[in-house]
Each structure stands twice: as structure tokens, then as C-alpha cells.
Amino acid sequence: STQEKTPQICVVGSGPAGFYTAQHLLKQHPQAHVDIYEKQPVPFGLVRFGVAPDHPEVKNVINTFTQTAHSGRCAFWGNVEVGRDVTVPELREAYHAVVLSYGAEDHRALEIPGEELPGVCSARAFVGWYNGLPENRELEPDLSYDTAVILGQGNVALDVARILLTPPEHLERTDITKAALGVLRQSRVKTVWLVGRRGPLQVAFTIKVPRPRKRLTELLLRTATEKPGPEEAARRASASRAWGLRFFRSPQQVLPSPDGRRAAGVRLAVTRLEGVGEATRAVPTGDMEDLPCGLVLSSVGYKSRPVDPSVPFDSKLGVIPNVEGRVMDVPGLYCSGWVKRGPTGVIATTMTDSFLTGQMLLQDLKAGLLPSGPRPGYAAIQALLSSRGVRPVSFSDWEKLDAEEVARGQGTGKPREKLVDPQEMLRLLGH
Ligand code: FAD
């Protein structure tokens, strides 16, 4: 059949999930054509807007994604927000199959009193700010207080603590935004606490070694209990900044300053663990502790949003209900990445997961489960977008923006100075 010959497939989202899904489809099917739609004018999702600026090696995956985008059977269409500029039913009409890989764009709320006070912000917004995510570029967190409390103990919490405590001169040659660097240079933050409900055996950090849990526990124990050598002891004594983990503490309230105008601390309930194995839970002991601070960053997780009323969504788990990437009850619709599994796991996890979704789609194609007959693909969507005044950004457009960013970084020894204003990006492209 025609669809067996030239399946037209579209992927929504250009983070690791979108690109790895596309890569698998293009590699495993010699004729498949894949269009990737992205709401930002620029590609790569959290590789650009999440991964910390001082971890440049993690961003090397961009080279692989770029190769995929250069395939003659792949196209990137940025500046197109699915659910707003084009609907999922319209995409399903135009393509043989649609893969939703749009990640997790929201943050989980703490759901405690005082959360709305100035001085409280989500780690997600803070990360977006220092990485130049357009919607967070004007965040300007107030770093004029000496203590910051991060609620949560996952990898994102660690990234945020590190950025707050790293001497700004060590960030000068990264792709952190100029504005963020300016604010960090003025920072008075000296102490950062990372607060977790559970204990050292349950923290959600990951490390890059086999048997990570055992190794992580050993590392934590050694750091906490071993007496440092003379050099290390001297270094610690002279350090102007410090951080610490506070275990078995569950946030109850953000405490207001005396005038009620901003956050001045966090009230924590002391917890202990009950139950064993997977069923272990942190329960309050009844004791309370107040931790004074001027900045509260909530880092209790990212969360996916529903994209379109026609797509099933599990709002409790914050994922699209699916079986191995096949969206439940909607033939021809698939999902991969954080919107499929929930917002956990590193890029490598997302890769494995996306390859699996690609495999399921190709199995269905082979079994004749996808619509037969030709589909128009981008031609149909382009007409819709143009009638709605939406001008997509192609991959070669992105490469112009990329070159501009690299050029702007050169003077100051940065790998790039990110463009943070979508209007400016579109202007540079003559849109
Ligand atoms: P995303 O990367 O979020 O990509 C989703 C894409 O979809 C985005 O580009 C978004 O703009 C787009 N999109 C959203 N809605 C729409 C829409 N309606 N229409 C069109 N497009 C849309 N992993 C590591 O291995 N190493 C690290 O150092 C590391 N650091 C991290 C730091 C942070 C702060 C975070 C949050 C994560 C980090 N990760 C790291 C994890 C890694 O980023 C994720 O595993 C991975 O990005 C998930 O991929 P994804 O494609 O599902 O989501």
C-alpha cells in the first residue's frame, strides 16, 4: 500500500523524545518522512532550556539531533504551537501517524499556604531564567538575602543549588544568559539548604555509574562522616558559601515577613519513615522546625499539560495514558518521553523510551493498522498555518539563529549568547 511506501509521520516537540523518535523512524523505515513541530522558534527542548550551563558535555546530543534534522526525509517546523496554531485532529488528518513528545512544561505546586508570596519561585522558572527560556527571561529572582531554601532533592534541585553557589566567574564561559550572570554577580546568597521529606536512602539524585543506588549511598555517607584531610578542611573553613541537605522535613507553610509582603522562611514538619521497600512513606512526627530564608525555590517536579481536548490525559499522573507508547483508544496516535512516562529520567532513558515508541509505530504500520492511502503531510498543515498567520521557523532558519548566538558569544569567550526574545528571533529571520 502507499502508506507502507511513504508514511507521513509527525512528531510534536523537538526535545530528546521528539528527535530520538524521529531518528528511529528514519533509520528503520527507508521511506518514512518525519515532520517535527515545535512551539519555540528554536529546537532541542530541555537540552537547551533545562540542562545546566556548566554541563556542556550533556549538550553534545545536539550534534546527533542536528544530523537527524539534516536528513532529506526530516523537517523541523518551529514557532508552531500544537493545540493553539494547529490541532491534533488536524495533524491526524494530514499524517498517517502522530507522535506526541511535548514533554512536561508545568511545575508541581507545593500546595501549602504562603506559596504565592514574592520570594517563592519554582525551580522550573529559575532554570528557565538562567537558560534563556523566553517565558522566564524577566524573572529576575531577588538574590539579596543570605539564605535560600530549595524544597526537593532531585537532580534539578542540585543544579539550582550549584548555580546559586558557583562563583559567577566560573560561569562566564558557559552559555548562561548575560542577564542571569549579571544578577548572580550581585548575589548575596551564602547558604543553600536542600530540603527533603525522606532520608538519604531515598534521594532522587542520579550518578553516572553502575549500581548507582549503592554507590550514591556510599558517597553520601563518606562525605558526611569522613574527617576531611587538612587541605580539604582548610578549603571548607575558608569557603564563603555553603550548602546542606536537610532530610526528613516536609514543608507546611511559607512564612511571611513581619509586614506580610514576602517570604521570610519555611515551616517544616519533621518526618520519619514508615513501611518497607516501595511502600516506605514519610509521616510527620509532630515536631516542627522553622528555617529562615529570603528565597524559596520549589523543586518538587515538572508536570505535563493536556495539549488538546481530543487527546486522553491522566491529570493525576500527568501523562498521556498509553501502552508502550500507543495512546489508549486512539489508533495512529503515539507518545514518547516525559509526556509518556512522567517527568523523570535522564536523556538516555528518554532515548530508550522513544526508540520503543518508534518501534511500536512501525509494527502497526507493517500490520496495516494505520490509515491506508496517501496523506498530504506538511502541505496541508502549511496551508492551515498560513491561513492563520503563523510563520514556521525551519531548521535552516534555526541555523542562522545559531550562528548569530555563537557570534554574539565570541567577544566574551562564551560558546554562545542565547537569543531570549522570540520577537527578536523572528525579526532576525525577516519574518
Ligand atoms: P523536553 O525536553 O521538555 O521536550 C519537549 C519539547 O516539546 C520542548 O521543546 C517544548 O517546547 C515542546 N512543546 C511543548 N508543548 C508543545 C506544543 N503544544 N506544541 C509544540 N511543541 C511543544 N538529563 C540528562 O541526561 N542530563 C542532564 O544534565 C539533565 N539535566 C536536566 C536539567 C533539568 C532542569 C531538567 C528539567 C531535566 C534535565 N535532564 C537531564 C533530563 C532531560 O532533560 C529529559 O530527560 C528530556 O529532556 C525529556 O525529553 P522530552 O523530549 O520528553 O521533553
PDB file of all heavy atoms in Angstrom, residues 12-18 37-40 45-46 50-51 58 80-82 101-103 105 127 156 159 302 307 337-338 345-347 350, ligand 1:
ATOM      1  N   VAL A  12       5.377  15.854  17.668  1.00  0.00           N
ATOM      2  CA  VAL A  12       5.105  17.130  18.328  1.00  0.00           C
ATOM      3  C   VAL A  12       6.097  17.323  19.476  1.00  0.00           C
ATOM      4  O   VAL A  12       6.053  16.594  20.463  1.00  0.00           O
ATOM      5  CB  VAL A  12       3.657  17.180  18.845  1.00  0.00           C
ATOM      6  CG1 VAL A  12       3.393  18.496  19.590  1.00  0.00           C
ATOM      7  CG2 VAL A  12       2.674  16.995  17.702  1.00  0.00           C
ATOM      8  N   GLY A  13       6.990  18.277  19.315  1.00  0.00           N
ATOM      9  CA  GLY A  13       8.023  18.536  20.335  1.00  0.00           C
ATOM     10  C   GLY A  13       9.397  18.160  19.804  1.00  0.00           C
ATOM     11  O   GLY A  13       9.560  17.113  19.180  1.00  0.00           O
ATOM     12  N   SER A  14      10.382  19.034  20.023  1.00  0.00           N
ATOM     13  CA  SER A  14      11.719  18.782  19.478  1.00  0.00           C
ATOM     14  C   SER A  14      12.772  18.630  20.562  1.00  0.00           C
ATOM     15  O   SER A  14      13.928  18.963  20.372  1.00  0.00           O
ATOM     16  CB  SER A  14      12.118  19.902  18.526  1.00  0.00           C
ATOM     17  OG  SER A  14      12.346  21.084  19.277  1.00  0.00           O
ATOM     18  N   GLY A  15      12.354  18.102  21.729  1.00  0.00           N
ATOM     19  CA  GLY A  15      13.333  17.738  22.752  1.00  0.00           C
ATOM     20  C   GLY A  15      13.916  16.373  22.418  1.00  0.00           C
ATOM     21  O   GLY A  15      13.737  15.861  21.305  1.00  0.00           O
ATOM     22  N   PRO A  16      14.625  15.779  23.364  1.00  0.00           N
ATOM     23  CA  PRO A  16      15.204  14.450  23.123  1.00  0.00           C
ATOM     24  C   PRO A  16      14.156  13.438  22.653  1.00  0.00           C
ATOM     25  O   PRO A  16      14.427  12.648  21.732  1.00  0.00           O
ATOM     26  CB  PRO A  16      15.764  14.062  24.494  1.00  0.00           C
ATOM     27  CG  PRO A  16      16.082  15.365  25.158  1.00  0.00           C
ATOM     28  CD  PRO A  16      15.039  16.325  24.675  1.00  0.00           C
ATOM     29  N   ALA A  17      12.968  13.443  23.239  1.00  0.00           N
ATOM     30  CA  ALA A  17      11.960  12.445  22.855  1.00  0.00           C
ATOM     31  C   ALA A  17      11.588  12.603  21.389  1.00  0.00           C
ATOM     32  O   ALA A  17      11.546  11.626  20.630  1.00  0.00           O
ATOM     33  CB  ALA A  17      10.726  12.565  23.744  1.00  0.00           C
ATOM     34  N   GLY A  18      11.322  13.831  20.960  1.00  0.00           N
ATOM     35  CA  GLY A  18      10.942  14.078  19.575  1.00  0.00           C
ATOM     36  C   GLY A  18      12.056  13.669  18.622  1.00  0.00           C
ATOM     37  O   GLY A  18      11.830  12.949  17.640  1.00  0.00           O
ATOM     38  N   TYR A  37       7.206  19.294  14.796  1.00  0.00           N
ATOM     39  CA  TYR A  37       6.628  20.605  15.140  1.00  0.00           C
ATOM     40  C   TYR A  37       7.060  21.008  16.541  1.00  0.00           C
ATOM     41  O   TYR A  37       7.065  20.178  17.455  1.00  0.00           O
ATOM     42  CB  TYR A  37       5.096  20.552  15.072  1.00  0.00           C
ATOM     43  CG  TYR A  37       4.593  20.370  13.661  1.00  0.00           C
ATOM     44  CD1 TYR A  37       4.295  19.107  13.171  1.00  0.00           C
ATOM     45  CD2 TYR A  37       4.432  21.469  12.822  1.00  0.00           C
ATOM     46  CE1 TYR A  37       3.854  18.924  11.864  1.00  0.00           C
ATOM     47  CE2 TYR A  37       3.988  21.308  11.523  1.00  0.00           C
ATOM     48  CZ  TYR A  37       3.702  20.040  11.049  1.00  0.00           C
ATOM     49  OH  TYR A  37       3.269  19.868   9.756  1.00  0.00           O
ATOM     50  N   GLU A  38       7.414  22.268  16.690  1.00  0.00           N
ATOM     51  CA  GLU A  38       7.926  22.764  17.979  1.00  0.00           C
ATOM     52  C   GLU A  38       7.344  24.145  18.257  1.00  0.00           C
ATOM     53  O   GLU A  38       7.329  24.996  17.378  1.00  0.00           O
ATOM     54  CB  GLU A  38       9.464  22.829  17.896  1.00  0.00           C
ATOM     55  CG  GLU A  38      10.149  23.624  19.002  1.00  0.00           C
ATOM     56  CD  GLU A  38       9.896  23.082  20.408  1.00  0.00           C
ATOM     57  OE1 GLU A  38      10.103  21.861  20.625  1.00  0.00           O
ATOM     58  OE2 GLU A  38       9.491  23.870  21.279  1.00  0.00           O
ATOM     59  N   LYS A  39       6.904  24.372  19.494  1.00  0.00           N
ATOM     60  CA  LYS A  39       6.284  25.670  19.776  1.00  0.00           C
ATOM     61  C   LYS A  39       7.298  26.808  19.900  1.00  0.00           C
ATOM     62  O   LYS A  39       7.007  27.949  19.561  1.00  0.00           O
ATOM     63  CB  LYS A  39       5.398  25.595  21.008  1.00  0.00           C
ATOM     64  CG  LYS A  39       6.104  25.529  22.330  1.00  0.00           C
ATOM     65  CD  LYS A  39       5.053  25.532  23.428  1.00  0.00           C
ATOM     66  CE  LYS A  39       5.485  26.400  24.575  1.00  0.00           C
ATOM     67  NZ  LYS A  39       4.571  26.293  25.707  1.00  0.00           N
ATOM     68  N   GLN A  40       8.496  26.510  20.372  1.00  0.00           N
ATOM     69  CA  GLN A  40       9.534  27.550  20.443  1.00  0.00           C
ATOM     70  C   GLN A  40      10.074  27.789  19.032  1.00  0.00           C
ATOM     71  O   GLN A  40      10.045  26.885  18.208  1.00  0.00           O
ATOM     72  CB  GLN A  40      10.693  27.094  21.343  1.00  0.00           C
ATOM     73  CG  GLN A  40      10.311  26.774  22.778  1.00  0.00           C
ATOM     74  CD  GLN A  40       9.977  28.009  23.606  1.00  0.00           C
ATOM     75  OE1 GLN A  40      10.283  29.144  23.209  1.00  0.00           O
ATOM     76  NE2 GLN A  40       9.326  27.794  24.732  1.00  0.00           N
ATOM     77  N   GLY A  45      14.379  21.463  23.104  1.00  0.00           N
ATOM     78  CA  GLY A  45      13.699  21.320  24.394  1.00  0.00           C
ATOM     79  C   GLY A  45      14.622  21.541  25.581  1.00  0.00           C
ATOM     80  O   GLY A  45      15.381  22.522  25.624  1.00  0.00           O
ATOM     81  N   LEU A  46      14.561  20.627  26.539  1.00  0.00           N
ATOM     82  CA  LEU A  46      15.311  20.808  27.783  1.00  0.00           C
ATOM     83  C   LEU A  46      16.818  20.672  27.612  1.00  0.00           C
ATOM     84  O   LEU A  46      17.567  20.995  28.527  1.00  0.00           O
ATOM     85  CB  LEU A  46      14.821  19.804  28.840  1.00  0.00           C
ATOM     86  CG  LEU A  46      13.454  20.121  29.455  1.00  0.00           C
ATOM     87  CD1 LEU A  46      12.962  18.949  30.301  1.00  0.00           C
ATOM     88  CD2 LEU A  46      13.532  21.384  30.316  1.00  0.00           C
ATOM     89  N   GLY A  50      16.937  23.296  29.853  1.00  0.00           N
ATOM     90  CA  GLY A  50      16.947  22.614  31.153  1.00  0.00           C
ATOM     91  C   GLY A  50      18.356  22.310  31.625  1.00  0.00           C
ATOM     92  O   GLY A  50      18.780  22.779  32.684  1.00  0.00           O
ATOM     93  N   VAL A  51      19.096  21.565  30.824  1.00  0.00           N
ATOM     94  CA  VAL A  51      20.453  21.137  31.181  1.00  0.00           C
ATOM     95  C   VAL A  51      21.281  22.355  31.626  1.00  0.00           C
ATOM     96  O   VAL A  51      21.268  23.399  30.969  1.00  0.00           O
ATOM     97  CB  VAL A  51      21.131  20.417  29.995  1.00  0.00           C
ATOM     98  CG1 VAL A  51      22.604  20.161  30.283  1.00  0.00           C
ATOM     99  CG2 VAL A  51      20.408  19.103  29.686  1.00  0.00           C
ATOM    100  N   VAL A  58      26.814  17.443  28.226  1.00  0.00           N
ATOM    101  CA  VAL A  58      25.497  16.804  28.089  1.00  0.00           C
ATOM    102  C   VAL A  58      24.819  17.263  26.788  1.00  0.00           C
ATOM    103  O   VAL A  58      24.051  16.533  26.174  1.00  0.00           O
ATOM    104  CB  VAL A  58      24.597  17.158  29.306  1.00  0.00           C
ATOM    105  CG1 VAL A  58      23.211  16.568  29.162  1.00  0.00           C
ATOM    106  CG2 VAL A  58      25.252  16.699  30.609  1.00  0.00           C
ATOM    107  N   VAL A  80       5.490  26.788  16.031  1.00  0.00           N
ATOM    108  CA  VAL A  80       4.148  26.252  15.803  1.00  0.00           C
ATOM    109  C   VAL A  80       3.697  25.561  17.085  1.00  0.00           C
ATOM    110  O   VAL A  80       4.270  24.539  17.480  1.00  0.00           O
ATOM    111  CB  VAL A  80       4.140  25.208  14.662  1.00  0.00           C
ATOM    112  CG1 VAL A  80       2.730  24.642  14.468  1.00  0.00           C
ATOM    113  CG2 VAL A  80       4.679  25.810  13.364  1.00  0.00           C
ATOM    114  N   GLU A  81       2.711  26.127  17.744  1.00  0.00           N
ATOM    115  CA  GLU A  81       2.243  25.516  18.984  1.00  0.00           C
ATOM    116  C   GLU A  81       1.038  24.630  18.695  1.00  0.00           C
ATOM    117  O   GLU A  81      -0.025  25.113  18.298  1.00  0.00           O
ATOM    118  CB  GLU A  81       1.885  26.593  20.013  1.00  0.00           C
ATOM    119  CG  GLU A  81       1.435  25.968  21.332  1.00  0.00           C
ATOM    120  CD  GLU A  81       1.259  26.969  22.457  1.00  0.00           C
ATOM    121  OE1 GLU A  81       1.824  28.087  22.389  1.00  0.00           O
ATOM    122  OE2 GLU A  81       0.548  26.627  23.418  1.00  0.00           O
ATOM    123  N   VAL A  82       1.236  23.337  18.889  1.00  0.00           N
ATOM    124  CA  VAL A  82       0.148  22.394  18.663  1.00  0.00           C
ATOM    125  C   VAL A  82      -0.876  22.563  19.785  1.00  0.00           C
ATOM    126  O   VAL A  82      -0.516  22.702  20.953  1.00  0.00           O
ATOM    127  CB  VAL A  82       0.681  20.947  18.577  1.00  0.00           C
ATOM    128  CG1 VAL A  82      -0.467  19.949  18.525  1.00  0.00           C
ATOM    129  CG2 VAL A  82       1.587  20.818  17.360  1.00  0.00           C
ATOM    130  N   SER A 101       5.349  14.249  21.742  1.00  0.00           N
ATOM    131  CA  SER A 101       6.603  14.215  22.523  1.00  0.00           C
ATOM    132  C   SER A 101       6.829  15.598  23.102  1.00  0.00           C
ATOM    133  O   SER A 101       7.919  16.143  23.003  1.00  0.00           O
ATOM    134  CB  SER A 101       7.780  13.831  21.620  1.00  0.00           C
ATOM    135  OG  SER A 101       7.450  12.738  20.793  1.00  0.00           O
ATOM    136  N   TYR A 102       5.769  16.145  23.698  1.00  0.00           N
ATOM    137  CA  TYR A 102       5.858  17.564  24.061  1.00  0.00           C
ATOM    138  C   TYR A 102       6.290  17.820  25.512  1.00  0.00           C
ATOM    139  O   TYR A 102       6.197  18.944  26.013  1.00  0.00           O
ATOM    140  CB  TYR A 102       4.561  18.298  23.706  1.00  0.00           C
ATOM    141  CG  TYR A 102       3.316  17.835  24.432  1.00  0.00           C
ATOM    142  CD1 TYR A 102       3.003  18.337  25.695  1.00  0.00           C
ATOM    143  CD2 TYR A 102       2.455  16.920  23.855  1.00  0.00           C
ATOM    144  CE1 TYR A 102       1.861  17.918  26.366  1.00  0.00           C
ATOM    145  CE2 TYR A 102       1.308  16.504  24.506  1.00  0.00           C
ATOM    146  CZ  TYR A 102       1.016  16.997  25.758  1.00  0.00           C
ATOM    147  OH  TYR A 102      -0.108  16.580  26.411  1.00  0.00           O
ATOM    148  N   GLY A 103       6.785  16.781  26.174  1.00  0.00           N
ATOM    149  CA  GLY A 103       7.451  16.993  27.454  1.00  0.00           C
ATOM    150  C   GLY A 103       6.544  17.390  28.597  1.00  0.00           C
ATOM    151  O   GLY A 103       5.338  17.075  28.615  1.00  0.00           O
ATOM    152  N   GLU A 105       5.767  20.784  30.722  1.00  0.00           N
ATOM    153  CA  GLU A 105       6.052  22.217  30.729  1.00  0.00           C
ATOM    154  C   GLU A 105       5.620  22.943  31.989  1.00  0.00           C
ATOM    155  O   GLU A 105       5.876  24.123  32.130  1.00  0.00           O
ATOM    156  CB  GLU A 105       5.289  22.854  29.573  1.00  0.00           C
ATOM    157  CG  GLU A 105       5.769  22.378  28.253  1.00  0.00           C
ATOM    158  CD  GLU A 105       6.196  23.545  27.419  1.00  0.00           C
ATOM    159  OE1 GLU A 105       5.323  24.317  27.034  1.00  0.00           O
ATOM    160  OE2 GLU A 105       7.408  23.695  27.208  1.00  0.00           O
ATOM    161  N   VAL A 127      15.351  27.783  36.494  1.00  0.00           N
ATOM    162  CA  VAL A 127      16.170  27.135  35.466  1.00  0.00           C
ATOM    163  C   VAL A 127      15.902  27.780  34.103  1.00  0.00           C
ATOM    164  O   VAL A 127      16.836  28.078  33.349  1.00  0.00           O
ATOM    165  CB  VAL A 127      15.851  25.615  35.409  1.00  0.00           C
ATOM    166  CG1 VAL A 127      16.451  24.979  34.169  1.00  0.00           C
ATOM    167  CG2 VAL A 127      16.340  24.909  36.661  1.00  0.00           C
ATOM    168  N   VAL A 156      17.319  18.353  39.597  1.00  0.00           N
ATOM    169  CA  VAL A 156      17.058  19.758  39.287  1.00  0.00           C
ATOM    170  C   VAL A 156      17.409  20.619  40.504  1.00  0.00           C
ATOM    171  O   VAL A 156      18.031  21.683  40.371  1.00  0.00           O
ATOM    172  CB  VAL A 156      15.589  19.967  38.859  1.00  0.00           C
ATOM    173  CG1 VAL A 156      15.304  21.443  38.638  1.00  0.00           C
ATOM    174  CG2 VAL A 156      15.287  19.175  37.591  1.00  0.00           C
ATOM    175  N   ASP A 159      21.090  21.063  40.537  1.00  0.00           N
ATOM    176  CA  ASP A 159      21.517  22.024  39.506  1.00  0.00           C
ATOM    177  C   ASP A 159      21.334  23.455  40.009  1.00  0.00           C
ATOM    178  O   ASP A 159      22.221  24.301  39.883  1.00  0.00           O
ATOM    179  CB  ASP A 159      20.663  21.887  38.233  1.00  0.00           C
ATOM    180  CG  ASP A 159      21.133  20.764  37.311  1.00  0.00           C
ATOM    181  OD1 ASP A 159      22.180  20.156  37.591  1.00  0.00           O
ATOM    182  OD2 ASP A 159      20.443  20.511  36.304  1.00  0.00           O
ATOM    183  N   TYR A 302       8.329  18.426  37.652  1.00  0.00           N
ATOM    184  CA  TYR A 302       7.705  19.006  36.478  1.00  0.00           C
ATOM    185  C   TYR A 302       6.381  18.279  36.245  1.00  0.00           C
ATOM    186  O   TYR A 302       6.107  17.247  36.846  1.00  0.00           O
ATOM    187  CB  TYR A 302       8.624  18.842  35.257  1.00  0.00           C
ATOM    188  CG  TYR A 302       9.785  19.813  35.215  1.00  0.00           C
ATOM    189  CD1 TYR A 302      10.593  20.015  36.324  1.00  0.00           C
ATOM    190  CD2 TYR A 302      10.069  20.513  34.058  1.00  0.00           C
ATOM    191  CE1 TYR A 302      11.666  20.901  36.279  1.00  0.00           C
ATOM    192  CE2 TYR A 302      11.150  21.404  33.996  1.00  0.00           C
ATOM    193  CZ  TYR A 302      11.939  21.589  35.112  1.00  0.00           C
ATOM    194  OH  TYR A 302      12.989  22.463  35.064  1.00  0.00           O
ATOM    195  N   VAL A 307      -2.716  18.682  25.879  1.00  0.00           N
ATOM    196  CA  VAL A 307      -2.396  19.513  24.725  1.00  0.00           C
ATOM    197  C   VAL A 307      -3.621  19.863  23.885  1.00  0.00           C
ATOM    198  O   VAL A 307      -3.656  20.880  23.205  1.00  0.00           O
ATOM    199  CB  VAL A 307      -1.317  18.849  23.856  1.00  0.00           C
ATOM    200  CG1 VAL A 307      -1.865  17.633  23.129  1.00  0.00           C
ATOM    201  CG2 VAL A 307      -0.705  19.807  22.861  1.00  0.00           C
ATOM    202  N   GLY A 337       8.759  10.008  25.618  1.00  0.00           N
ATOM    203  CA  GLY A 337       9.433  10.958  26.507  1.00  0.00           C
ATOM    204  C   GLY A 337       8.660  11.237  27.789  1.00  0.00           C
ATOM    205  O   GLY A 337       7.899  10.405  28.270  1.00  0.00           O
ATOM    206  N   TRP A 338       8.851  12.444  28.310  1.00  0.00           N
ATOM    207  CA  TRP A 338       8.271  12.769  29.620  1.00  0.00           C
ATOM    208  C   TRP A 338       6.753  12.764  29.617  1.00  0.00           C
ATOM    209  O   TRP A 338       6.131  12.474  30.624  1.00  0.00           O
ATOM    210  CB  TRP A 338       8.831  14.113  30.100  1.00  0.00           C
ATOM    211  CG  TRP A 338      10.165  13.963  30.780  1.00  0.00           C
ATOM    212  CD1 TRP A 338      10.963  12.843  30.757  1.00  0.00           C
ATOM    213  CD2 TRP A 338      10.836  14.915  31.608  1.00  0.00           C
ATOM    214  NE1 TRP A 338      12.090  13.055  31.513  1.00  0.00           N
ATOM    215  CE2 TRP A 338      12.045  14.319  32.046  1.00  0.00           C
ATOM    216  CE3 TRP A 338      10.545  16.221  32.021  1.00  0.00           C
ATOM    217  CZ2 TRP A 338      12.954  14.985  32.877  1.00  0.00           C
ATOM    218  CZ3 TRP A 338      11.462  16.873  32.845  1.00  0.00           C
ATOM    219  CH2 TRP A 338      12.649  16.261  33.269  1.00  0.00           C
ATOM    220  N   GLY A 345      13.868  10.800  34.714  1.00  0.00           N
ATOM    221  CA  GLY A 345      14.782  10.087  33.828  1.00  0.00           C
ATOM    222  C   GLY A 345      15.614  11.040  33.021  1.00  0.00           C
ATOM    223  O   GLY A 345      15.187  12.138  32.675  1.00  0.00           O
ATOM    224  N   VAL A 346      16.836  10.592  32.741  1.00  0.00           N
ATOM    225  CA  VAL A 346      17.806  11.411  32.017  1.00  0.00           C
ATOM    226  C   VAL A 346      17.591  11.249  30.511  1.00  0.00           C
ATOM    227  O   VAL A 346      16.685  10.534  30.071  1.00  0.00           O
ATOM    228  CB  VAL A 346      19.250  11.036  32.431  1.00  0.00           C
ATOM    229  CG1 VAL A 346      19.518  11.475  33.858  1.00  0.00           C
ATOM    230  CG2 VAL A 346      19.508   9.555  32.248  1.00  0.00           C
ATOM    231  N   ILE A 347      18.454  11.892  29.740  1.00  0.00           N
ATOM    232  CA  ILE A 347      18.307  11.859  28.287  1.00  0.00           C
ATOM    233  C   ILE A 347      18.405  10.422  27.757  1.00  0.00           C
ATOM    234  O   ILE A 347      17.658  10.026  26.867  1.00  0.00           O
ATOM    235  CB  ILE A 347      19.355  12.783  27.629  1.00  0.00           C
ATOM    236  CG1 ILE A 347      19.059  14.236  28.034  1.00  0.00           C
ATOM    237  CG2 ILE A 347      19.358  12.629  26.116  1.00  0.00           C
ATOM    238  CD1 ILE A 347      20.160  15.216  27.692  1.00  0.00           C
ATOM    239  N   THR A 350      15.199   8.671  28.126  1.00  0.00           N
ATOM    240  CA  THR A 350      14.265   9.206  27.140  1.00  0.00           C
ATOM    241  C   THR A 350      14.555   8.622  25.757  1.00  0.00           C
ATOM    242  O   THR A 350      13.638   8.357  24.970  1.00  0.00           O
ATOM    243  CB  THR A 350      14.347  10.746  27.135  1.00  0.00           C
ATOM    244  OG1 THR A 350      14.070  11.221  28.457  1.00  0.00           O
ATOM    245  CG2 THR A 350      13.363  11.367  26.177  1.00  0.00           C
TER     246      THR A 350
HETATM  247  P1  FAD B   1      11.505  18.157  26.555  1.00  0.00           P
HETATM  248  O1  FAD B   1      12.982  18.153  26.500  1.00  0.00           O
HETATM  249  O2  FAD B   1      10.840  19.065  27.514  1.00  0.00           O
HETATM  250  O3  FAD B   1      10.975  18.498  25.071  1.00  0.00           O
HETATM  251  C1  FAD B   1       9.635  18.796  24.812  1.00  0.00           C
HETATM  252  C2  FAD B   1       9.543  19.814  23.675  1.00  0.00           C
HETATM  253  O4  FAD B   1       8.174  19.951  23.287  1.00  0.00           O
HETATM  254  C3  FAD B   1      10.026  21.208  24.066  1.00  0.00           C
HETATM  255  O5  FAD B   1      10.922  21.698  23.096  1.00  0.00           O
HETATM  256  C4  FAD B   1       8.739  22.043  24.103  1.00  0.00           C
HETATM  257  O6  FAD B   1       8.946  23.412  23.762  1.00  0.00           O
HETATM  258  C5  FAD B   1       7.905  21.328  23.054  1.00  0.00           C
HETATM  259  N1  FAD B   1       6.455  21.562  23.212  1.00  0.00           N
HETATM  260  C6  FAD B   1       5.746  21.634  24.358  1.00  0.00           C
HETATM  261  N2  FAD B   1       4.454  21.858  24.116  1.00  0.00           N
HETATM  262  C7  FAD B   1       4.326  21.935  22.777  1.00  0.00           C
HETATM  263  C8  FAD B   1       3.216  22.171  21.899  1.00  0.00           C
HETATM  264  N3  FAD B   1       1.982  22.362  22.389  1.00  0.00           N
HETATM  265  N4  FAD B   1       3.441  22.209  20.575  1.00  0.00           N
HETATM  266  C9  FAD B   1       4.700  22.014  20.081  1.00  0.00           C
HETATM  267  N5  FAD B   1       5.778  21.797  20.856  1.00  0.00           N
HETATM  268  C10 FAD B   1       5.590  21.746  22.190  1.00  0.00           C
HETATM  269  N6  FAD B   1      19.173  14.767  31.527  1.00  0.00           N
HETATM  270  C11 FAD B   1      20.469  14.387  31.377  1.00  0.00           C
HETATM  271  O7  FAD B   1      20.717  13.313  30.820  1.00  0.00           O
HETATM  272  N7  FAD B   1      21.497  15.165  31.845  1.00  0.00           N
HETATM  273  C12 FAD B   1      21.272  16.365  32.464  1.00  0.00           C
HETATM  274  O8  FAD B   1      22.225  17.056  32.879  1.00  0.00           O
HETATM  275  C13 FAD B   1      19.925  16.798  32.620  1.00  0.00           C
HETATM  276  N8  FAD B   1      19.649  17.976  33.213  1.00  0.00           N
HETATM  277  C14 FAD B   1      18.353  18.362  33.346  1.00  0.00           C
HETATM  278  C15 FAD B   1      18.075  19.585  33.976  1.00  0.00           C
HETATM  279  C16 FAD B   1      16.765  19.992  34.146  1.00  0.00           C
HETATM  280  C17 FAD B   1      16.481  21.303  34.842  1.00  0.00           C
HETATM  281  C18 FAD B   1      15.700  19.185  33.690  1.00  0.00           C
HETATM  282  C19 FAD B   1      14.283  19.610  33.878  1.00  0.00           C
HETATM  283  C20 FAD B   1      15.960  17.968  33.079  1.00  0.00           C
HETATM  284  C21 FAD B   1      17.287  17.535  32.910  1.00  0.00           C
HETATM  285  N9  FAD B   1      17.578  16.315  32.290  1.00  0.00           N
HETATM  286  C22 FAD B   1      18.889  15.938  32.132  1.00  0.00           C
HETATM  287  C23 FAD B   1      16.505  15.414  31.806  1.00  0.00           C
HETATM  288  C24 FAD B   1      16.213  15.604  30.297  1.00  0.00           C
HETATM  289  O9  FAD B   1      16.159  16.978  30.026  1.00  0.00           O
HETATM  290  C25 FAD B   1      14.898  14.896  29.938  1.00  0.00           C
HETATM  291  O10 FAD B   1      15.060  13.503  30.128  1.00  0.00           O
HETATM  292  C26 FAD B   1      14.459  15.121  28.493  1.00  0.00           C
HETATM  293  O11 FAD B   1      14.630  16.449  28.087  1.00  0.00           O
HETATM  294  C27 FAD B   1      12.989  14.750  28.276  1.00  0.00           C
HETATM  295  O12 FAD B   1      12.729  14.865  26.906  1.00  0.00           O
HETATM  296  P2  FAD B   1      11.313  15.250  26.270  1.00  0.00           P
HETATM  297  O13 FAD B   1      11.586  15.371  24.826  1.00  0.00           O
HETATM  298  O14 FAD B   1      10.285  14.309  26.750  1.00  0.00           O
HETATM  299  O15 FAD B   1      10.933  16.696  26.883  1.00  0.00           O
END
